[in-house]
Structures are given as C-alpha cells and as structure tokens.
Amino acid sequence: MRVSYNGNANISTFSATPANLSPSNFRAAISAKAPQEFDFLGDQSTDWVSEVIGNAWGTDHNLSVSGGSDKISYLLSGGYLKNDGVLNTSAHEATSLSANISTKLFNDQLLVNIKSKAGFTTDIFAPNVIGAALTFDPTRPVLDPDSKFGGYYQWADPLAVNNPVSTLNFNNQKGETVRTLNNLTLEYRLPFISGLSLHSNVSYDRTDGDRRNFRDPLLKDGDNFNRGGYLFLQDERLYAALIESFGTWKADIPGSNSSLELTAGHSWQQFDREYRWTQGFGLEQEGNDWIYTQDINADSFLVVNRLISFFGRLNYTHNNRYLLTASLRRDGSSRFGESNRWGLFPAVAVGWRILEEDFARDWNNLFSNLKLRVSWGITGNENIGDFLYNTFYEYGTGDATYQFGDEFVPTLRGRGVDPDIKWEQTTSLNVGIDFGFLNNRLSGSIEGYRKYTNDLLFTVAASAFTNLSDRILTNIGEMENIGVELQLDAVVIDQKNFSWDLGFNFAHNRNEIKKLDNSTDPNFLGYEAGGISGDIGQTIQVLKVGESIETFRTYKHILNENGLPRP
C-alpha cells in the first residue's frame, strides 16, 4: 500500500495601484478645478479600494491511498481546497473524493473497472464594487449612525453611486453544487470462442446545484430599499446516463498473413435538465431566514434529450502493409421530429505502410516511417437546442398584456419552429502522409482535406407571416471547407533526466457557402447574423453564397488622395 499527501498554503494580494485620487489629492483637485464645491466636501479620509479588498488566504490538501495485488488494484483519493477572494466576502471551497478499483475474475476472463468521483463546491459571489470604490467620494465616512440604510453612509440622490462597503455586506449570493460521476466497465473474454470479447460501459453523471441571491431590505440599490429587499432561489438538476454494449471479434486469416477485427454494438445516452426558480420582494424575517411577500414570480422546466446509436466497424490488415477500416453508424436523436430523427453515417479509411514494400527497402536509410492514408466519411451534427421542431407556448412579457375590464391578462405566445429540421451532415475526404526520420526523432504529417456540409443548421430570419417568430433555427444550405495541415515534431534532447521536444504546425482553410435555401444565386443578399451589443435589431455579419460563413459586412472608408479616410 502506498500513501501520498501534498498540501500548500498561499496568500493573494491586490498588487495594482488604484488609478483614483487619494483623499488629499481629491481635495486639492476640487480646490483647483471647482472651488465653489470645496465647502461641500466631508471631513473624512477614506480609501474605498482598501475597504473592499484585502489579502486572501488559501489552502489546498490532497491525500491518496493506492495498492493491490495481481488480481485487484485500487486508488482512493480525497482533496480539499479553500480560497478566499481578494474582493471581500468572496470565497471558493471545494471537497473531492474519488475511487478507482480494477479486478480480474473467472481466471482473468472477466475484467471489471469501477470509477467513482464526487465533488462538493461552495461559492460565495461578491458583487462588483470596484467601480464604486474608485469613484465614491473619499472625504465621506464608511459608517453614518444617522443613516437609514443600516448605518452606512449613502448619498440621498437615488441615482448616485452606492457605498461599496454597504453593497458588499448587504448582498449575499451563494451557490452550492454537488456532482457525482460513476462508471462501470466490463470486459468478458469468452473462453469457448477464440478472439471474441464482450464489452459494457455504464456511467451516470449527476449535478445538483442550488443558488441563493439575497439583497437586504436596508441596501440602497436601485429601488431595492423601497421594495423591501429581494430574494432569488434557484434549484437545478442535471443528469447524464450512458449504457454502451459492444462485441469484438479478432482473428488471423489462415494462409493470407492477414488479420481481421469486427465490432458491433449499441449505445444509449440520455441527458435531463431540471430547473426551478422563485423570486420576490417585500422581505420579512421568519426565524433565521427571510421570505418574500410581494411581486412573487416562479418558473420551472424539465428538458430531456436522448441519443441512441447502432454501430459496426471492420478493421483489416494484410502483410502489415495494407490497412482498411470501414464503419457504419445509425444515430437517432430526440432533437429532431419523428420523420427526421435517424441518420445513417458511413466511413471508410485505407492506409499503406510504404516502407514494408520490397521496392522501398533502401528507403529505410532515410525514413523511419512513411505511411499514405486516405479516408472518406459522413458525420452528423445534432448540437442544437431541444424540441426545436415543436411549438411551445409561454407567457408574454409584462408590457404585452391584454385588458379585460379592469384586469390585465398576460398573453401566451408561441415559439417559432421548423417542424422539418433534420441532421446536418458533413462529407469529408482526407488524404495524408505520415513520415519520420532518424528513428522518428524528426516526424510529421501533411494532410489535405475537403469537407462539404449539407443541410447546414443555422438560426435565420423567417419570412413575414410564415411563422410565430421572426427568427427560427432551420436547415439553410450547403457549405464547403478546403484546407491543408502540416505538423512537424522533433525530439531535440532525450536524456534520462532531461528531455526537450519541439512542435510546429501550420493550417490553412478556405470556407465558402455554396447554397442557401436551395439557391446558388450570388445576388441573394443572404441572411443577417451577428447582433451588435447595445444596438437592438442591428447586425454586422451575413451568410451569403460565395462568402465565408458569418462574414463581416461593414462600410468601407472613402479615402482621399493621401490614402487617408475622408471625414
């Protein structure tokens, strides 16, 4: 048995020099630039940045125990991490436990591996008060015994910046997460059929998270004080399960100097996300906790995503020179409607170890590896949101109610969808050469590829009066990628106590949209994309035939005779 421990303690400090004025310099600036305001300054000297930041202590401990025999091996470990934040009140704490156990049963014909991990995380989030600390009047005190805001000095103007210390101490944002990952792997080598083995992989990943955001009724933050404080509670659950089973048969073909490997299997995956939240104002203390009494809102949802696959693969090797791999997958995703749920994805690859040929025997003086490879295949993309093929209804916003007498009734609005969305498919052709020199101390590869995507999935604007939303996710067209990649690796120094490796890579890719909405018309203006932050409804990118995906569309400056932009 072997026991190992490592730990450390650390301290973090705010090393930057704040750019704001010190209290004395602030008074001097007011005296010089706005002397009429000097009499309104306070009589304190407060370094607000120092009031909200401080030294942060941290510690990290890890303990592991390992051992075993020729039939069983194990590794058990645990860790604890605690870090305070440089910003006061912030902190991160994490505890982890893990176990890895492997054993052999039934005359070593059954291999069992169990892995389990658990993590417990607590985060305390501090509001960003650095801006307030840099701009708050340094001639004012932190505390004011006559203040109605919990004893903290505050400006009377509701639009003025708030006391940053008050904001830190009257905010409480806390998140707690528990995550467990469990995996069981089985491999059984059948004694009565040579070369046949059965494999099974079962895993379960669960995350439970809770978040609490509390703003004290005494906090002067927008209208928080007038509305009696704020409380937000969130509860989130994530589940991911996998059951995968497959069989593999390996055999040498008599009299042909060839080997064959066949694999066939089934995979089932499910992802669940459950989410609930409530919020409200008008807080009242009940025991040691707070409850909200006004403007209470709540919502919840449960989303389930499932992916089922059937797959098969063939590997064939002849004379250790010629390599062939062929595979076929049939994948079904719940993210598409029933008529488009399944996709078929074949692939084939061949390789040629040239140095094994008789005519290349003299090349061994130069090359230590020389392999030509070609592959072709189709892959599918279902990386989109859930249930985007089905219309769901949700309550409209508060400004979209309808009046019936003296009552305002919220509206229900449908989500725009394309019920016929289907798998995005990419057909790839790759040709490459792997090479090595000096016993592979210098090695690399060069590869060219072409990838052609059909039924490209993208969110675009819908034609007027054709859907329930102005933008929907749908299959919009075809796209091509053509490129070349070069990889070079070198082992410069390879000694017992010192090694030095160098790597270099180069890649060039040309991307072009070939078709949109079954049209190759280059005059089609395309679909707008890439919204501009702060400019509602405006975009800066476009999807257009003949251009790269999400090409930026901007104005060009008109230049004068000196090559400078005209005003």
Side-chain angles (χ1 to χ4, degrees):
M1 182 175 70
R2 179 181 180 183
V3 179
S4 175
Y5 166 81
N6 66 77
N8 66 76
N10 58 79
I11 183 172
S12 301
T13 185
F14 191 83
S15 60
T17 301
N20 59 323
L21 296 175
S22 65
S24 57
N25 288 337
F26 183 80
R27 287 187 171 93
I30 295 298
S31 177
K33 300 296 183 180
Q36 71 278 8
E37 304 291 337
F38 189 83
D39 292 339
F40 295 100
L41 297 179
D43 56 1
Q44 300 292 313
S45 295
T46 303
D47 184 351
W48 289 102
V49 174
S50 297
E51 294 289 340
V52 299
I53 65 173
N55 294 332
W57 291 91
T59 183
D60 185 12
H61 304 276
N62 295 278
L63 176 67
S64 66
V65 179
S66 60
S69 63
D70 59 339
K71 296 294 184 181
I72 186 171
S73 62
Y74 62 88
L75 172 62
L76 308 176
S77 64
Y80 176 76
L81 172 69
K82 176 69 166 66
N83 279 328
D84 294 327
V86 174
L87 190 59
N88 292 343
T89 74
S90 63
H92 171 76
E93 184 177 14
T95 302
S96 62
L97 300 170
S98 69
N100 189 343
I101 302 173
S102 298
T103 185
K104 301 176 182 179
L105 304 172
F106 306 124
N107 296 324
D108 296 346
Q109 293 170 350
L110 177 62
L111 307 180
V112 181
N113 180 251
I114 301 173
K115 296 180 181 179
S116 183
K117 293 183 179 181
F120 309 86
T121 304
T122 300
D123 289 293
I124 299 177
F125 305 97
N128 186 359
V129 295
I130 297 298
L134 291 172
T135 56
F136 207 88
D137 185 351
T139 68
R140 303 297 173 179
V142 176
L143 300 176
D144 178 5
D146 298 325
S147 170
K148 63 180 180 179
F149 301 106
Y152 287 94
Y153 179 86
Q154 297 281 14
W155 295 110
D157 188 345
L159 299 180
V161 63
N162 295 326
N163 183 324
V165 179
S166 170
T167 302
L168 278 181
N169 294 333
F170 281 158
N171 268 289
N172 187 331
Q173 298 184 49
K174 183 178 181 180
E176 295 181 317
T177 302
V178 177
R179 184 178 184 184
T180 57
L181 299 94
N182 300 282
N183 177 261
L184 171 64
T185 302
L186 302 174
E187 179 182 351
Y188 182 55
R189 299 165 183 169
L190 277 71
F192 46 85
I193 302 179
S194 177
L196 180 61
S197 60
L198 302 178
H199 305 255
S200 183
N201 181 23
V202 180
S203 65
Y204 183 70
D205 182 357
R206 171 171 177 154
T207 301
D208 296 81
D210 300 287
R211 182 180 176 186
R212 183 179 186 269
N213 185 358
F214 167 74
R215 295 204 291 266
D216 194 286
L218 297 176
L219 173 65
K220 176 183 173 284
D221 180 17
D223 61 350
N224 178 78
F225 180 82
N226 297 326
R227 300 182 70 176
Y230 170 78
L231 181 62
F232 173 85
L233 300 175
Q234 175 182 307
D235 179 18
E236 187 173 26
R237 303 287 179 266
L238 304 176
Y239 315 86
L242 167 68
I243 301 176
E244 184 178 63
S245 300
F246 60 93
T248 299
W249 179 63
K250 300 178 181 179
D252 294 328
I253 302 176
S256 65
N257 198 20
S258 302
S259 62
L260 184 67
E261 178 181 330
L262 299 176
T263 300
H266 170 266
S267 175
W268 176 93
Q269 297 180 73
Q270 180 164 309
F271 307 88
D272 297 7
R273 182 184 178 192
E274 186 178 359
Y275 179 83
R276 294 184 296 270
W277 64 266
T278 59
Q279 66 176 5
F281 294 86
L283 303 188
E284 295 181 359
Q285 198 158 13
E286 188 176 88
N288 295 324
D289 208 347
W290 294 84
I291 61 172
Y292 33 66
T293 62
Q294 303 172 11
D295 301 323
I296 300 174
N297 292 307
D299 199 2
S300 64
F301 65 79
L302 172 63
V303 176
V304 178
N305 169 36
R306 186 174 297 158
L307 180 64
I308 298 176
S309 303
F310 299 90
F311 56 88
R313 184 178 66 248
L314 176 149
N315 289 328
Y316 174 76
T317 302
H318 179 66
N319 279 338
N320 201 33
R321 302 177 190 174
Y322 313 113
L323 313 173
L324 170 66
T325 297
S327 64
L328 182 65
R329 295 184 62 94
R330 180 167 170 79
D331 295 332
S333 172
S334 63
R335 287 176 167 167
F336 304 106
E338 292 186 6
S339 59
N340 297 308
R341 188 154 291 173
W342 291 90
L344 192 65
F345 307 108
V348 62
V350 294
W352 179 25
R353 294 189 177 120
I354 302 175
L355 294 183
E356 299 295 328
E357 297 288 352
D358 292 337
F359 68 81
R361 293 192 183 277
D362 293 338
W363 297 4
N364 285 280
N365 297 325
L366 176 63
F367 294 97
S368 51
N369 177 40
L370 187 61
K371 178 182 176 182
L372 174 67
R373 48 186 171 82
V374 180
S375 64
W376 172 92
I378 300 176
T379 58
N381 174 30
E382 50 97 38
N383 188 21
I384 59 176
D386 297 298
F387 304 115
L388 295 182
Y389 61 88
N390 205 355
T391 299
F392 289 90
Y393 288 82
E394 58 187 13
Y395 283 111
T397 57
D399 56 356
T401 57
Y402 195 85
Q403 185 175 3
F404 288 92
D406 295 332
E407 183 180 4
F408 289 87
V409 179
T411 58
L412 285 175
R413 57 179 61 181
R415 181 182 65 183
V417 298
D418 175 7
D420 298 318
I421 57 173
K422 53 188 176 182
W423 285 86
E424 176 184 295
Q425 297 190 2
T426 299
T427 302
S428 302
L429 176 64
N430 297 61
V431 179
I433 296 178
D434 301 327
F435 52 85
F437 306 94
L438 304 175
N439 199 25
N440 281 332
R441 296 200 60 156
L442 178 62
S443 62
S445 64
I446 183 169
E447 180 175 346
Y449 62 85
R450 178 183 183 267
K451 299 181 180 180
Y452 200 91
T453 301
N454 291 284
D455 300 317
L456 180 68
L457 286 166
F458 211 87
T459 300
V460 296
S463 301
F465 309 111
T466 62
N467 217 299
L468 296 174
S469 302
D470 59 346
R471 301 182 71 84
I472 62 171
L473 186 138
T474 185
N475 303 97
I476 63 168
E478 301 174 5
M479 178 179 65
E480 182 184 56
N481 283 278
I482 297 178
V484 62
E485 296 180 354
L486 173 65
Q487 175 72 37
L488 296 176
D489 298 290
V491 180
V492 182
I493 299 176
D494 185 15
Q495 300 294 332
K496 181 178 180 180
N497 298 319
F498 180 76
S499 62
W500 180 18
D501 298 339
L502 288 178
F504 169 81
N505 65 78
F506 168 82
H508 173 74
N509 181 78
R510 180 175 62 83
N511 172 269
E512 182 180 346
I513 294 178
K514 292 294 187 178
K515 183 184 294 187
L516 289 175
D517 289 344
N518 295 318
S519 172
T520 59
D521 182 7
N523 296 318
F524 175 49
L525 296 179
Y527 291 112
E528 294 182 344
I532 302 175
S533 177
D535 195 353
I536 298 176
Q538 300 300 310
T539 59
I540 196 171
Q541 292 170 289
V542 66
L543 278 69
K544 185 178 179 181
V545 173
E547 301 287 347
S548 298
I549 190 169
E550 294 185 315
T551 294
F552 280 91
R553 181 180 61 185
T554 59
Y555 291 102
K556 291 184 178 181
H557 274 296
I558 299 177
L559 305 180
N560 59 24
E561 60 276 7
N562 297 321
L564 300 176
R566 291 173 53 184

